Amino acid sequence: MTNMPPQPPVYFERLIDAWESGRAGQCAHLGHWEFPPEPDDADSGSEDFRIAQQRLDDVMIEMAGIRSGQSILDVGCGFGGLIDCIDSQFTEMNLTGVNIDARQLDICQRLRSKSQNSIRWQEADACELPFADNTFDRVFCVEAIFHFASRRTFFAEVLRVLKPAGRFSASDITLTESPTTVATPRFMIQALLNDGYGPWPDPWAENGTVEAICQELGFTGIKLMDATQNTLPVYDYIVPKKFTEQCDPGDVAARSAMLLRWLHRNGGLKYEYLSGVKS
């Protein structure tokens, strides 16, 4: 693990501004589309985008097999969208969200349970979770693993805090080689990513993919779903149409988003959903 304290990604500055101005909801992640949206539908404030974001949460919840009466942990909880979704569907729950960013947790604190569930928020490092062993029935991590100092350390922490037979449900983004992207030096791609979307310590999962690490640590019943195409339409909503690959937007977050769009469109990025059980 690094000795540097974990830092929230720069792009969250823009997301927080969007939330405070009413241009974004509780979800702080990409969306899941079953079918590509119509070209004219792309709008940064579109309801279609929010529905797609909620659908991604629904996929995570379905993979986790949640039941009422459980104890849930969401690591890298963003603005609390996933916990809010769980709260709307289940009762007698103990729901906990952790994040390293106090500003995001401040937004979370404004949520109130609609089903009389217990909800709490805590500032914490994903690789040093401040919870006792065997605490949670389910652990989630949606679109945050790639920011953590070590996938392996994080998964070991997940295994520790899960109860026996507890399930972990997550999404992860890794970079891959493709005929289009292989000509670009890796250090250039990583530098541009880290400007706006860092920390991103291991973009190509050279220290182990989520599946390999989970198998090594002893998770069972591992399921993977390739959602690369389902998440691809998001760039029509988060990257302004005026920005093209030949245009420098002059903003590190927009520049990194444009790079992700290029990687995603050209086979240089994989987006996966994962679930596994503590035996």
Side-chain angles (χ1 to χ4, degrees):
M1 290 177 57
T2 179
N3 292 323
M4 293 290 292
Q7 299 293 325
V10 171
Y11 70 86
F12 261 96
E13 300 282 351
R14 176 174 292 178
L15 291 179
I16 291 171
D17 288 343
W19 187 89
E20 291 178 341
S21 64
R23 292 180 288 109
Q26 296 298 142
C27 296
H29 52 64
L30 306 186
H32 178 103
W33 282 263
E34 296 295 347
F35 303 100
E38 294 298 325
D40 293 338
D41 287 346
D43 180 347
S44 61
S46 171
E47 184 64 16
D48 288 344
F49 180 29
R50 299 191 187 193
I51 291 172
Q53 288 181 306
Q54 292 168 2
R55 188 178 297 119
L56 196 156
D57 283 343
D58 289 338
V59 172
M60 290 287 101
I61 291 171
E62 183 178 355
M63 291 183 74
I66 293 179
R67 300 188 304 274
S68 290
Q70 292 183 324
S71 180
I72 308 292
L73 173 65
D74 182 17
V75 183
C77 61
F79 301 156
L82 177 62
I83 284 184
D84 189 44
C85 186
I86 295 171
D87 175 65
S88 299
Q89 299 181 39
F90 301 92
T91 59
E92 299 179 355
M93 307 291 279
N94 288 305
L95 307 174
T96 302
V98 301
N99 203 300
I100 59 168
D101 189 353
R103 301 168 303 168
Q104 295 177 53
L105 291 173
D106 180 63
I107 293 173
C108 293
Q109 293 282 1
R110 305 176 201 187
L111 288 171
R112 295 291 180 268
S113 175
K114 297 176 282 294
S115 306
Q116 297 184 328
N117 291 312
S118 170
I119 303 179
R120 62 171 173 159
W121 311 98
Q122 187 162 345
E123 189 171 345
D125 183 346
C127 293
E128 298 180 11
L129 294 173
F131 306 110
D133 297 356
N134 307 316
T135 298
F136 299 99
D137 296 291
R138 300 289 186 270
V139 175
F140 289 89
C141 184
V142 181
E143 212 169 290
I145 294 172
F146 51 93
H147 290 311
F148 301 159
S150 166
R151 285 183 175 91
R152 190 176 304 276
T153 301
F154 169 61
F155 285 130
E157 279 291 270
V158 171
L159 194 64
R160 181 183 65 80
V161 302
L162 269 175
K163 296 177 182 178
R167 182 175 288 276
F168 174 53
S169 182
S171 67
D172 192 24
I173 301 175
T174 53
L175 304 190
T176 62
E177 304 288 5
S178 76
T180 304
T181 65
V182 71
T184 305
R186 282 189 172 192
F187 77 88
M188 293 179 61
I189 291 176
Q190 189 159 4
L192 282 170
L193 279 180
N194 276 310
D195 275 350
Y197 276 70
W200 201 323
D202 187 16
W204 287 271
E206 294 174 299
N207 296 318
T209 64
V210 289
E211 181 179 22
I213 293 171
C214 286
Q215 288 176 341
E216 290 170 15
L217 291 175
F219 282 95
T220 61
I222 298 171
K223 297 180 181 178
L224 281 178
M225 175 181 171
D226 189 334
T228 305
Q229 293 305 310
N230 301 98
T231 51
L232 180 58
V234 71
Y235 303 101
D236 292 333
Y237 297 84
I238 66 174
V239 178
K241 293 179 181 179
K242 64 180 179 180
F243 294 155
T244 68
E245 275 71 14
Q246 290 75 41
C247 168
D248 183 349
D251 176 273
V252 293
R255 192 180 298 131
S256 295
M258 289 169 60
L259 174 62
L260 285 174
R261 178 178 64 183
W262 178 74
L263 290 167
H264 210 145
R265 286 178 174 176
N266 290 284
L269 180 151
K270 179 180 287 188
Y271 194 113
E272 291 182 303
Y273 303 145
L274 165 83
S275 68
V277 177
K278 177 177 178 177
S279 57

